[in-house]
Amino acid sequence: MHMGASGAAFAFLLAVLGLVVPLLLLAGRRTATQRLALVLLLAAVSAGCAAGAAGFFGETTPALDFSRATPFRFLLAVDRLSAFFLLLICAVAIPVTLFAVSYFERHQAEPRRRWTWVFFSWFLLSMIVVVTAATGFAFLIGWELMTLVSAGLILIEGDAEERRHNVFIYLLMMHAGAAAVLAAFLLFLPVSHTLDLDAMRAAGMALPAGVRAAIFLTAFAGFGTKAGLIPLHLWLPRAHPIAPSPVSALMSGIMLKTAVYGFVRFAFDLLGGGPWWGGYAVLAVAAVTGVLGILYALAEDDLKRLLAYSSVENIGIIFLGLGAALVFAAHHAATAAALALAAALFHAWNHGFFKSLLFLGAGAIADGAHSVNLNELGGLGRRMPWTAAAMLAGSCAIAGLPLTNGFVSEWLMFRSFLAGSALYATKAQVILPLLVGILGFMGGLAAACFVKAHGTAFLGRPRSAGAEHAEEAPLVMRAGLWLLAAGCLLFGIFPGLVLRPLVALAGALLPGAGVPEETVSIAHILPWVGAAVAAISLAALLLKRRTRPARTWACGLPALSSRMQYTSTVFSKPIRFVFARVYRPDRKVERLPVDTPYFPISILYRSVRTTSFEKSLYRPFVDGVVWMARGLRRMQTGNIQVYLLYIFLALVSLLALLRFQQ
Amino acid sequence: MGLVGIAGGKVLSSFSVFLFLTILLLAVARRISTSVLLFSLQSAVITAEVLATAIQEKLAEAWVVGLLVLVIKVVAIPRAFFVLARRLKTVRDVKASTTPTQSVFIAALMIYLSYAAVHSYGQAMHVPDDALAAAVALILTGAFLMVSRTKAIMQMLGLLVLENGIFLAALITTFGMPLVIEIGIFFDILMGLLLMGIFTFRISDTFDHLDAAKLRRLRG
Amino acid sequence: MSLGTAIAQALLLVLGAPLVRGTIALLKARLQRRRGASIWRPYADLFKLFRKEELVPPTSSFIFRAAPAVLFAATVCAAAFIPVLRPSALLAARGDFFLLIYLLALARFFLSLGALDGGSAFGGMGASREALVSSLAEAPLLLGLAAVAILARRADLAGMVAWTLGQNVFDISAVHILAFTALAMVTLAETGRMPVDNPTTHLELTMIHEGMVLEYSGPSLALVEWAAAVKLHLMLALLIALFCPWGMAVGNAGWGIAPAALLYILKLGILMGVVSVIESAVAKLRMYLVPDFLGVASAVSALAVIFTVLVKR
């Protein structure tokens, strides 16, 4: 057990999150105890930040061994990769916790709130266990705990019939994914004999090619389910919108990244690169995920579902980077692989920041305007200016605009795709540069999507009474929002802060890699560009001018009503029309019957959009499973003669087998 | 070799790009008149390639062939098409069964396939890759036009584009076909066009339209 | 290269932009047998607008005022990337074409937000159509530039231009022709020219860019119009720099600048003539035919990238 300052901080983090906070919350009745618990939570998470930073920027690797208390080996170690994710979890958890303090106080009554905080700290604990686990047992415990605790958090908020249905689908798919991950772990056993990560790493080199391919595929399937790759993404838009906003922020911002961590750990660390076709498979799935994810996001009017689908798209982007890194590694271009891997990990970092910011902002909107339906919002920029400004930073970041962190990771990914043209394999030389076009397409659609989201929510005129009387979020919530927004801007203008250690981390995972010079050049030019844009904008804004308030011209009508603006549904109509093959809505128009058909009293228009995956992939699969189950049920006739017949047939076939073996 | 010689040597390679552009534009063309103009441009490019071969290989025959191509394919046949279109009073839309975006991606795929197909061939025969790939791509485009355009006139045009491709392939691999074979092929094409023209007239007269899709209703 | 020349190049692009717009308008007028306004008219318009009073809708937020400023700043910064007279520019050595394109995307993002803030239906319509056109135009724009970058083995604009300068002018490469076709089509789409958008229309239902700026007035409108002109100028300058840069002043000699400037004006004049002819000869595409137009550009640019592999063989 290596201790030291960072080890002590890590132990403090685990102890507080796992035991102290829940005990204080459940046992203590007075509000002072509650406040102490929350302060301790924040302190623990800050300590976690310190431990993660020490591991990420420096060389310390604290490890904690709990094996004496558990039936299997339970070892937690913070090596460089784990430290990066630990830092991400804790860094995002601080603003989210701040926000949640105020949010849960306003939204939940006393007994529920205590349990929510208990589950909240256990949720953080489970994610930390996953990324720092050094044995399979620890990893899987954390993995399952993540699912169960988050399901609990969703159900505490409310357990109406539809919510329970969505949670059921969530649990189902997460367990299927966990089964695949378990299979991936177990496939190591014949050679490694234990599930310690060190033993698995050593065994990874000695495995036969077929087993390595099987491990890669099962790990990809299992972690892909958790990450939300298409077609295994179905749970994401069902689970993320119904969770309370701080929990959605954690789920989208951090929980998806644990799947990224798992895949990186398996593919790069344990398997040392995977089979030669692995990268291409990942690229294909990631490209489809990204494009379809953002197309579905564009069609949504519920802000939280839009953000959930946008998370699917960003996971696609991250896996595009990982796939490119795998392709480069298979062709022994280590420096280019390091660039792609650094790009993917940096995008995971950035997504943690801006997606949490956006979900928290959605929570602030829900709090202030009592709705997250974009068609009922509008004009919130005047009523909630601080929230609007923070959300603007988040929207710019997720659209990948310069001076925000989203741009830097996408830029790095573009440059890594371009580097693919320097390889000596024709397939890679053609496919990788074409991905520039696909990523650009996704970026353009993402910008359009967030113009829609930010524009219809915050700009223009309010479209409902709730939006008209919206209140600004309380100070603590705003503080959480602004911490994340500051992070987005900071890492957008000074990306070198995280990039330099990230490149070192990528170099550790990919032996033989140098420092890609793109990571250095971007850090040099961005501050200049930022300064130039800021300076010229300020100069233009400070121009002496006379302004007069005057109502927007309404074509001669007395005034414009808020219904004359574009709504969110209409904004995305051109794109939905052009990509109609992707959306395939079921449309029904009913006219109330009257005497003449030319002047109907009312027309009912219903348009239902289920993603084509539910219709063409899941429904047949579920129907097939049910059909098989029914078929198997026929074997249970209840007739005792038939059961005796089964025994007789088994005896006969055993004898025949014995005969033919000789 | 002089500027003309250098230009002649490079013409075969660089003009194939213009052929690729006409292929892509034919895939998206919406009007019959545009398609015919593009065919005329294509034939002009091929004429240039014939003349370049004539200059480089110093063949007198090639000059005659080039003149023939110019007169027949660049001037006469397109004019005949315009006259036919006007006489038939046909609607000017091309009636494609694929959308422009799909067509252009199919055309791009065909170009890539033709490159992949001629790669080893071209090395063996010491001919420029680009020109041979352009010829194969023209053949594929002609076939694609015949399949995806349902107007009878467009199917004639598809056949002509296909013939352009075959002609170009023969030109490249033999560095100038003998004149006799050239004239024979031209007569074949002329007869074929005359027959198709007559049939188109009859179809249009009897059924009042030229839509090959609707002709399916004739089966028993 | 000296800082003075670099700044002079950027200023040339920014200050010369209204002149480009005025010249295209005059050429169009003459082609349509009208007298047309003077080529200095856009300067007069800008001067007038800067002195006018600005009308601000009372329901708008700070974005309405901030959008033109950010839009102008981002476009001017993008102009500092393009080599005009020498094969390098203020930011061309460190900045690459991805940063250039995304600075223009930043400008467009804020323009769309400003349009939505006006609170009228026209802004929303312009923004929604712009969302469609720009998202479809990103891929061919990036792929076309990537094709040239792959050939040059450099992604920064100075390196790409220097590589092209080193090539033989008669060595027409298939990649260049295809990339130029795709980029030309995207330039028409991105700068709001025919056949994608009509820059002189007064019918709101046919507007894309004009619809987004409908609610602006006074200095904000001047900034927006100027930024649009700068965008047109810098896209044309980009096409010239990447595909026909011969004549740029190479080396440290100062006297090479004058012939370089004259050659640049000549090339720009040819491009402006082509744009005017296209604008006068072609009708505006129906809204839902624009994806087909951009789909062709995408296929051509993808083919250009594929050809980079075939050319190197």
Side-chain angles (χ1 to χ4, degrees), chain A residues 60-432:
Chain A
T60 60
T61 46
L64 291 170
D65 199 337
F66 295 103
S67 305
R68 266 168 291 164
T70 55
F72 295 92
R73 273 183 49 87
F74 192 103
L75 179 65
L76 299 177
V78 184
D79 71 345
R80 207 137 193 196
L81 182 63
S82 306
F84 172 66
F85 280 94
L86 176 64
L87 180 61
L88 172 64
I89 293 176
C90 295
V92 172
I94 295 179
V96 172
T97 314
L98 266 179
F99 184 93
V101 165
S102 180
Y103 184 85
F104 286 134
E105 202 171 305
R106 289 160 71 98
H107 277 247
Q108 288 188 350
E110 194 27 55
R112 281 193 185 194
R113 192 165 68 225
R114 249 181 295 142
W115 277 103
T116 302
W117 276 112
V118 170
F119 277 27
F120 193 88
S121 68
W122 278 346
F123 190 36
L124 286 174
L125 177 71
S126 62
M127 290 193 283
I128 291 171
V129 165
V130 166
V131 301
T132 54
T135 63
F137 181 61
F139 189 90
L140 288 166
I141 287 213
W143 196 255
E144 287 289 350
L145 205 61
M146 265 198 308
T147 309
L148 292 173
V149 172
S150 50
L153 278 167
I154 297 178
L155 284 177
I156 289 183
E157 177 94 342
D159 60 350
E161 173 63 44
E162 198 188 331
R163 288 174 72 95
R164 274 188 284 154
H165 180 67
N166 286 332
V167 171
F168 174 70
I169 294 183
Y170 173 55
L171 285 173
L172 189 66
M173 295 193 67
M174 290 297 102
H175 279 312
V181 171
L182 179 61
F185 269 105
L186 291 178
L187 280 170
F188 272 99
L189 266 181
V191 183
S192 71
H193 302 301
T194 63
L195 285 180
D196 281 9
L197 284 188
D198 292 319
M200 288 164 77
R201 198 173 299 131
M205 297 303 135
L207 287 169
V211 179
R212 286 168 64 100
I215 295 179
F216 183 83
L217 281 175
T218 43
F220 188 43
F223 292 118
T225 314
K226 187 68 161 185
L229 291 174
I230 286 184
L232 303 163
H233 67 288
L234 217 62
W235 59 274
L236 237 169
R238 285 172 187 267
H240 285 212
I242 57 177
S245 299
V247 177
S248 299
L250 284 181
M251 284 169 80
S252 234
I254 309 182
M255 196 173 73
L256 300 181
K257 310 307 176 309
T258 58
V260 173
Y261 162 78
F263 184 70
V264 171
R265 178 65 80 185
F266 262 79
F268 288 94
D269 196 17
L270 298 177
L271 284 180
W276 67 267
W277 46 264
Y280 294 110
V282 173
L283 283 176
V285 172
V288 171
T289 305
V291 173
L292 283 182
I294 193 63
L295 280 176
Y296 287 139
L298 264 166
E300 288 293 334
D301 299 319
D302 180 326
L303 181 58
K304 291 180 84 165
R305 272 180 76 102
L306 186 149
L307 292 174
Y309 273 117
S310 162
S311 294
V312 173
E313 181 229 354
N314 279 289
I315 286 289
I317 297 181
I318 296 175
F319 273 85
L320 270 181
L322 291 177
L326 284 171
V327 169
F328 283 124
H331 287 112
H332 307 293
T335 313
L339 177 62
L341 182 59
L345 289 176
F346 195 39
H347 196 78
W349 172 272
N350 295 334
H351 185 243
F353 274 84
F354 55 67
K355 193 40 76 66
S356 315
L357 167 61
L358 288 169
F359 264 111
L360 291 185
I365 293 178
D367 204 46
H370 306 293
S371 166
V372 277
N373 186 346
L374 288 172
N375 289 333
E376 292 170 13
L377 299 173
L380 293 178
R382 291 178 67 85
R383 312 270 322 171
M384 307 167 68
W386 289 100
T387 312
M391 288 285 276
L392 180 65
S395 303
C396 288
I398 200 168
L401 300 179
L403 309 182
T404 59
N405 53 6
F407 169 70
V408 182
S409 47
E410 285 197 17
W411 184 89
L412 285 170
M413 231 171 267
F414 278 125
R415 289 302 294 261
S416 70
F417 294 150
L418 262 191
S421 65
L423 289 176
Y424 286 110
T426 322
K427 221 185 344 223
Q429 270 183 312
V430 168
I431 293 180
L432 284 172

Side-chain angles (χ1 to χ4, degrees), chain C residues 85 96 141 155 187 189 202 211 241 246 265:
Chain C
L85 301 173
D96 60 351
L141 184 55
T187 303
H202 303 290
W246 297 282
I265 294 178

